Amino acid sequence: MSREIDYGNLMHSAMRGLIRTVLQDVSDNGLPGNHHFFITFDTAHPDVELADWLSDRYPGEMTVVMQHWFDNLTVDEDGFGVTLNFGDSPEPLYIPYDAIRTFVDPSVEFGLRFESADEDADGYSAEPDAEDEPVSAEDQPEPKKKDADVVSLDSFRK
């Protein structure tokens, strides 16, 4: 009986490990320099935890920004938890790594894209497309420390 090496899943696992390592460093030491993250995730994933009003507003996917204001960043083997500010409403989120669709750090033009098995076999992109510039979905007052915004997903669609 022959078996094949599943390079696609191995690559996804390695890239999710990279995200875990980066987030753990941010949890321990804060965001260095101009680094910030646009993270798009599947809001319908069974292990995602977010407020009902957010899952109602974003029933398929949502993009959050970790930049000026975020709090309670915790990182574990399966995902990460963070409190982000939506308008003036801090909301806790838990995002499993396997719910992440894109992870982008525009400050260094680094990005990962995770495709589902039925979409694309190679599963990721080494850098974001030039058109993938997120646009803020709502104006928020300037936060006191680290900020997060929901961004329009229209800029991610082709």
Side-chain angles (χ1 to χ4, degrees):
M1 176 162 143
S2 95
R3 67 178 186 97
E4 294 182 12
I5 297 172
D6 188 350
Y7 286 106
N9 278 334
L10 290 170
M11 183 62 72
H12 278 189
S13 178
M15 294 301 101
R16 288 184 174 105
L18 179 144
I19 293 170
R20 182 176 62 246
T21 300
V22 167
L23 291 175
Q24 186 62 61
D25 182 67
V26 170
S27 177
D28 294 342
N29 305 303
L31 274 169
N34 292 322
H35 289 278
H36 57 287
F37 311 128
F38 295 102
I39 303 170
T40 301
F41 63 98
D42 177 0
T43 57
H45 185 285
D47 296 325
V48 164
E49 297 173 16
L50 71 161
D52 289 343
W53 72 269
L54 285 171
S55 60
D56 290 345
R57 187 169 175 184
Y58 302 95
E61 69 180 23
M62 174 181 196
T63 300
V64 293
V65 179
M66 291 179 58
Q67 186 171 12
H68 301 293
W69 189 94
F70 58 90
D71 201 12
N72 303 320
L73 177 59
T74 58
V75 180
D76 64 33
E77 287 299 310
D78 299 318
F80 67 99
V82 65
T83 300
L84 299 175
N85 194 26
F86 298 91
D88 286 326
S89 177
E91 293 287 349
L93 306 172
Y94 180 80
I95 303 168
Y97 301 118
D98 61 358
I100 296 174
R101 293 187 175 162
T102 62
F103 180 92
V104 178
D105 182 345
S107 70
V108 292
E109 297 183 14
F110 175 81
L112 300 171
R113 175 172 291 131
F114 298 92
E115 306 293 339
S116 64
D118 57 328
E119 290 177 14
D120 191 339
D122 72 5
Y124 78 100
S125 171
E127 48 187 271
D129 294 335
E131 300 143 21
D132 286 354
E133 290 299 318
V135 178
S136 179
E138 60 189 63
D139 293 330
Q140 295 186 10
E142 188 61 35
K144 294 180 182 113
K145 33 183 213 175
K146 308 171 197 164
D147 190 24
D149 295 322
V150 176
V151 295
S152 169
L153 298 176
D154 294 339
S155 62
F156 289 95
R157 302 187 201 294
K158 302 226 178 203

